[in-house]
């Protein structure tokens, strides 16, 4: 039996959030997550958050999201909630 060639894990997850009575639907992939993390810098968080959200949002939620992220700080809050829902829960224990 031959081993299967290396397959990249896509880990795509559909996530719905309700923000100020607007239901928003997102499709977040591992590539989207990694790109967002790599774009963050100590002095630049707002633009990467907005770009991440606009990359992941479903077409039918795009206009509602655009209106929301134009408000101060809202894009960061939505991105934070989306990341929290996307990331798997892990338990890490540091041994001494």
């Amino acid at each position: 039996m031959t081993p299967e060639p290396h397959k990249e894990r896509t880990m795509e997850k559909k996530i719905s959030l309700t923000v100020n009575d607007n239901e928003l639907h997102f499709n977040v992939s591992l590539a989207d997550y990694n790109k967002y993390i790599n774009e963050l810098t100590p002095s630049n968080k707002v633009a990467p958050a907005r770009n991440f959200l606009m990359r992941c949002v479903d077409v039918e939620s795009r206009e509602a999201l655009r209106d929301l992220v134009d408000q101060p700080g809202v894009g960061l809050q939505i991105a934070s909630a989306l990341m929290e829902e996307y990331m798997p829960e892990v338990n890490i224990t540091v041994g001494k």
Side-chain angles (χ1 to χ4, degrees):
M1 180 180 259
T2 12
E4 288 186 39
H6 175 70
K7 291 183 182 180
E8 186 178 323
R9 293 183 62 181
T10 57
M11 198 171 157
E12 188 162 314
K13 190 171 184 181
K14 293 179 185 266
I15 300 170
S16 296
L17 302 175
T18 302
V19 182
N20 291 347
D21 298 323
N22 293 290
E23 191 168 335
L24 305 173
H25 303 282
F26 298 89
N27 295 305
V28 183
S29 71
L30 184 57
D32 294 324
Y33 168 83
N34 287 340
K35 185 168 180 153
Y36 174 53
I37 295 301
N38 289 335
E39 289 174 342
L40 289 173
T41 66
S43 62
N44 189 16
K45 294 178 182 51
V46 176
R50 181 185 175 91
N51 293 341
F52 169 66
L53 294 172
M54 297 310 288
R55 274 194 303 266
C56 299
V57 71
D58 279 349
V59 175
E60 65 269 4
S61 299
R62 188 174 300 270
E63 197 59 43
L65 176 64
R66 191 172 283 127
D67 291 340
L68 289 165
V69 297
D70 285 340
Q71 300 175 47
V74 175
L76 286 172
Q77 292 178 62
I78 296 171
S80 176
L82 194 58
M83 295 298 287
E84 188 174 320
E85 185 62 30
Y86 177 73
M87 292 185 302
E89 195 171 310
V90 296
N91 293 314
I92 300 172
T93 304
V94 177
K96 292 187 179 190

